[in-house]
Amino acid sequence: MPGRGLRQRAHLVGTVDVTHDIREFHFATEGPADFTPGQYASLVLPGVGVPRGYSMCNLPNAQGQWHFQVRRVPGVQASAVLFDGWCVGDAVELDGPYGLAGLRVDSPRDIVCVAGGSGLAPMVSIARGAAAAGLLAQPRLHFFYGARTPRDVCG
């Protein structure tokens, strides 16, 4: 797995609404996005006192693309900054990757992904990583996703 995090400037290059309260934010850095599917990065958002950790939902890539699925939470400052205060081109400090949870491409075991809400992001990254590594024939991937209401289900 990639080691300690690296702080770098990232620019917002786009967003996609996933559900009524989850949005996928696409950031780009000058260097590669070097992480293991399932890891997370911290975003240092202007006006927010502490960095916020978000899991990537995409795959590592040489183009420096970092994608995060974030839930809008009323009353949470980081959520308000991301959803209401960002425009394409705005910059943030991205620090990562971090975390030991991630895809193990050398394991012969089945892969089980369990997620709900915005916890879907690291599981999507792991499933995409398993597909890219050719791991979907053997072992098998089992994916379980829960939501409170039908409108909370993405996809």
Side-chain angles (χ1 to χ4, degrees), residues 24 33 35 37-38 55-61 64-68 121 124-126 128-129:
E24 189 168 302
F35 60 88
S55 297
M56 286 71 76
C57 62
N58 63 322
L59 293 175
N61 61 85
Q65 296 292 311
W66 301 76
H67 299 181
F68 304 93
V124 167
S125 185
I126 287 171
R128 288 176 173 163

Side-chain angles (χ1 to χ4, degrees), residues 36-129:
T36 298
Q39 288 188 301
Y40 71 95
S42 292
L43 299 182
V44 181
L45 301 167
V48 178
V50 296
R52 296 297 304 229
Y54 298 105
S55 297
M56 286 71 76
C57 62
N58 63 322
L59 293 175
N61 61 85
Q63 296 76 33
Q65 296 292 311
W66 301 76
H67 299 181
F68 304 93
Q69 291 177 348
V70 180
R71 173 170 293 213
R72 177 190 290 270
V73 180
V76 173
Q77 190 177 16
S79 176
V81 167
L82 281 169
F83 277 80
D84 301 326
W86 281 86
C87 297
V88 169
D90 287 348
V92 65
E93 292 296 315
L94 185 149
D95 188 17
Y98 291 104
L100 298 176
L103 176 63
R104 308 287 195 278
V105 295
D106 58 346
S107 175
R109 297 181 183 176
D110 282 1
I111 300 167
V112 178
C113 294
V114 180
S118 60
L120 179 64
M123 299 302 114
V124 167
S125 185
I126 287 171
R128 288 176 173 163

